[in-house]
Amino acid sequence: MKIEKIEVTTFNSTSKKVNDTDGHTHPGPEHDTTEALLTITDDEGNKGYSFGSPEGLRPYIIENFVKKVFMGEDPRDREKLWINLAKWQRGSGANLTDRSMAVAEMALWDLAGRATNTPVWKMLGGYRDKVLAYGSTMCGDEMEGGLATPEDYGNFAEWMVKRGYKAIKLHTWMPPVSWAPSVEMDIKACAAVREAVGPDFPLMLDANHWYSRMDALRLGKGIQDLGYYWYEEPMDEHSTESYRWLADQLEIPVIGPEYAYGKHHTRAEWVQSKACDILRVGVADVGGIGPSMKSAHLAESFNMDCEVHGGGAGNLAVIGGIMNTTWYERGLLHPFIDHDEVPKHLNSIVDPMDEDGYIHMPTLPGLGEDINFDYIAERTVS
Ligand SMILES: O=C(O)[C@H](O)[C@@H](O)[C@@H](O)C(=O)NO
Ligand SMILES: [Mg+2]
């Protein structure tokens, strides 16, 4: 098997989500967008697919990095190809991102799964065929009836419990909301949710990223008193020592890192430094499924859980292949967003949740995405 073709199909679609000036996602008016599909084809006609952004898969990235490393190589040699791509990253002038690496690497996994009629989560070890989901809210906003007040969070939590979620994570208010960040308001929102769901329901807080140590400690103690299950990303994650300092002072488990650069190497530093009680990894954050599995296995070696950041086929596959995890992050949710609505470029969502709150691993070969190729072909722009 030899990689013969690497193509990016950019196509028109629509979205009901918009990003604020801090990059956080919120509901918005339906608008046109462009998406991108990477296709890798080998000399036996096997194909692997992976969705990404047109910017992350732009010709400069594909021609100068992905093709240089992948073309002519055996698509099954994922570790060799990923390492060689990672070596290019250092000299790429920050053009080759972990997220772009992840899209390219996941297309290799998808090709291998489709070629052998095997779901990727089974190739990764097939540890579980279903996983409980937690409802992960969007960041707070100032929308009437949205996530604008602690009561809004409490009401939405009641809805999520009725929908079947067995845990809930809040993302509270962050800039550019005019008065955010606010430790007091974060604690009020967490208290309203605790009140809404009762004393034993698992709750987590994913805070503002930019709090100071003292504010992060104050907030951590506040949610600790409310019996929260884990505390996530209250400070800039590039200060490992700040998280070691915080974790040392709190009973509530501190989880991370989510977005700190450095892949599985950074995660090794966090475990070694005792900067987290639960490790965090996501395919987009560390460059794909391979480095995610390395991170999860690292945590396992320390009897530590590793909770996966974000939804989607790649993260779900990692969860299906590892023992030391409990949840699938389903979201980001909002009262104005129907998470069960099927994106137009798919025939079905990859993470339907049953009435008991479980996501079942996909049965399709490869990553398991049920791609609507006709829709993509009809709206291809390049
Ligand atoms: O807006 C963001 O920072 C991300 O969407 C983030 O909130 C979300 O993916 C997350 O932190 N999950 O844990
Ligand atoms: Mg997070």
Side-chain angles (χ1 to χ4, degrees):
M1 292 167 86
K2 295 245 175 283
I3 294 172
E4 206 169 62
K5 219 175 345 173
I6 299 177
E7 305 156 286
V8 175
T9 307
T10 305
F11 61 94
N12 286 329
S13 190
T14 61
S15 170
K16 296 174 184 172
K17 297 174 185 175
V18 294
N19 283 67
D20 64 30
T21 52
D22 267 34
H24 298 122
T25 311
H26 301 279
E30 185 160 18
H31 57 281
D32 293 337
T33 62
T34 50
E35 309 287 346
L37 177 66
L38 175 69
T39 305
I40 295 179
T41 308
D42 72 14
D43 56 355
E44 295 174 13
N46 299 302
K47 289 180 181 292
Y49 303 95
S50 183
F51 288 100
S53 70
E55 300 73 23
L57 296 175
R58 63 190 184 279
Y60 178 79
I61 298 299
I62 300 301
E63 298 303 323
N64 289 289
F65 304 113
V66 179
K67 279 188 177 177
K68 279 188 180 165
V69 172
F70 284 17
M71 287 299 283
E73 296 292 332
D74 186 330
R76 294 169 295 185
D77 297 347
R78 291 178 297 273
E79 181 68 2
K80 177 179 81 172
L81 297 180
W82 187 89
I83 295 279
N84 290 342
L85 203 52
K87 285 179 181 168
W88 268 104
Q89 193 177 30
R90 184 176 176 283
S92 74
N95 278 290
L96 178 59
T97 63
D98 292 342
R99 204 168 283 257
S100 297
M101 284 182 65
V103 176
E105 189 248 15
M106 287 196 285
L108 295 176
W109 282 101
D110 190 54
L111 185 151
R114 288 172 183 264
T116 57
N117 196 29
T118 310
V120 169
W121 64 272
K122 275 200 169 291
M123 294 166 66
L124 295 172
Y127 183 80
R128 69 186 75 231
D129 59 11
K130 64 180 182 179
V131 61
L132 280 173
Y134 68 83
S136 187
T137 76
M138 282 185 169
C139 300
D141 49 47
E142 296 177 295
M143 298 177 187
E144 179 75 26
L147 294 173
T149 66
E151 294 71 28
D152 285 344
Y153 275 96
N155 295 336
F156 192 41
E158 284 177 9
W159 179 87
M160 284 191 268
V161 172
K162 288 193 189 93
R163 173 64 182 80
Y165 289 100
K166 295 298 180 276
I168 292 170
K169 182 167 85 177
L170 290 78
H171 290 96
T172 42
W173 299 274
M174 304 178 192
V177 168
S178 51
W179 45 266
S182 162
V183 171
E184 289 67 28
M185 283 297 284
D186 286 354
I187 293 174
K188 283 179 183 167
C190 291
V193 169
R194 173 54 74 205
E195 178 66 26
V197 301
D200 305 319
F201 191 89
L203 296 173
M204 306 84 128
L205 172 66
D206 190 334
N208 157 58
H209 328 303
W210 315 124
Y211 277 124
S212 68
R213 288 191 182 193
M214 299 322 288
D215 281 345
L217 181 58
R218 208 151 49 88
L219 178 52
K221 287 180 174 174
I223 63 172
Q224 184 170 277
D225 293 345
L226 293 167
Y228 270 55
Y229 176 85
W230 84 46
Y231 185 30
E232 181 178 339
E233 203 182 345
M235 301 179 286
D236 187 320
E237 292 184 334
H238 291 106
S239 171
T240 307
E241 173 53 21
S242 296
Y243 277 86
R244 187 208 58 74
W245 175 88
L246 182 70
D248 187 46
Q249 303 198 61
L250 290 172
E251 293 305 316
I252 182 172
V254 171
I255 183 173
E258 173 170 307
Y259 88 103
Y261 304 122
K263 305 185 185 69
H264 45 297
H265 303 288
T266 299
R267 281 149 183 81
E269 294 299 325
W270 273 57
V271 172
Q272 188 272 335
S273 310
K274 300 182 175 56
C276 60
D277 304 292
I278 303 171
L279 196 60
R280 189 148 180 73
V281 78
V283 291
D285 304 316
V286 296
I289 289 172
S292 296
M293 295 301 285
K294 290 181 180 182
S295 302
H297 294 157
L298 162 77
E300 182 189 340
S301 311
F302 284 85
N303 294 319
M304 185 182 280
D305 280 345
C306 181
E307 295 297 340
V308 177
H309 167 217
N315 286 319
L316 188 55
V318 170
I319 291 169
I322 62 173
M323 170 191 72
N324 55 322
T325 200
T326 307
W327 303 100
Y328 171 83
E329 181 171 12
R330 198 167 193 258
L332 297 175
L333 307 177
H334 190 280
F336 300 166
I337 293 280
D338 174 6
H339 186 76
D340 292 298
E341 183 178 340
V342 181
K344 295 188 176 72
H345 60 274
L346 298 177
N347 296 315
S348 58
I349 59 174
V350 77
D351 63 355
M353 185 175 79
D354 69 19
E355 65 277 2
D356 297 321
Y358 281 99
I359 310 292
H360 296 264
M361 292 297 150
T363 54
L364 290 172
L367 286 170
E369 290 198 287
D370 185 2
I371 298 172
N372 184 340
F373 290 103
D374 291 343
Y375 177 86
I376 293 170
E378 288 156 14
R379 290 161 181 79
T380 294
V381 293
S382 65

